[in-house]
Amino acid sequence: MKPFVYETMYILRPDLNDEQVEQSITKYETILRDQGGQNIEIQNRGKRRLAYDIQKHREGIYVQMNYEGPGSQIAVLERAMRLSDEVIRYLTIKEEVKPVAIAETPEPEVEEA
């Protein structure tokens, strides 16, 4: 089965300290690895202001994860986020993977005599 490429963006509560943020990131990375996730890239986007209040929070700590793997891992990851008190929002999207175009070499021109 061909692995798909996914992106998960989640927002952590703004009152978490740096150590708690790192623990959360490691926790979700471990869940992905246990479920067969590969090429996991994590970007901590830091604390940012939310467009609207979520659970009475005006700010949140944004974390973005890009990874490959089977689709079954998404349900396990999102269930863990849903049950967690530290995650206030999450969203997973499946990225479109464009096939790699083979560079076309121009045909050699034949001179007519």
Side-chain angles (χ1 to χ4, degrees), residues 5 9 14-15 21 28 39 49 53 60 73 76 83-84 107-108:
V5 178
M9 179 77 91
D15 57 347
V21 170
Y28 298 121
N39 300 334
R49 184 164 173 81
D53 290 1
Q73 69 187 352
V76 176
L83 295 175
S84 172
E107 295 181 19

Side-chain angles (χ1 to χ4, degrees), residues 5 8 13-14 18 22-23 27 30-31 33 35-37 39 50 54-55 68 78 81 88 93 98:
V5 178
T8 298
R13 287 191 346 248
D18 291 338
E22 288 302 318
Q23 287 175 349
K27 175 175 136 182
T30 304
I31 290 172
R33 288 197 194 286
Q35 296 298 317
N39 300 334
L50 302 171
I54 302 174
Q55 300 173 3
E68 294 179 6
E78 288 187 349
M81 289 182 178
I88 57 177
I93 60 171
K98 297 178 180 167

Side-chain angles (χ1 to χ4, degrees), residues 78-90:
E78 288 187 349
R79 183 174 190 280
M81 289 182 178
R82 187 171 44 251
L83 295 175
S84 172
D85 290 338
E86 57 211 17
V87 177
I88 57 177
R89 278 287 192 276
Y90 60 88

Side-chain angles (χ1 to χ4, degrees), residues 44-107:
N44 184 349
R45 303 274 182 176
K47 190 181 287 189
R48 296 177 182 234
R49 184 164 173 81
L50 302 171
Y52 53 90
D53 290 1
I54 302 174
Q55 300 173 3
K56 299 184 180 180
H57 295 290
R58 291 182 169 252
E59 294 181 327
I61 301 169
Y62 283 71
V63 180
Q64 177 182 345
M65 296 191 306
N66 297 76
Y67 50 93
E68 294 179 6
S72 60
Q73 69 187 352
I74 304 302
V76 176
L77 177 67
E78 288 187 349
R79 183 174 190 280
M81 289 182 178
R82 187 171 44 251
L83 295 175
S84 172
D85 290 338
E86 57 211 17
V87 177
I88 57 177
R89 278 287 192 276
Y90 60 88
L91 177 68
T92 300
I93 60 171
K94 182 173 152 184
E95 294 182 352
E96 292 293 324
V97 179
K98 297 178 180 167
V100 178
I102 299 173
E104 294 182 21
T105 55
E107 295 181 19

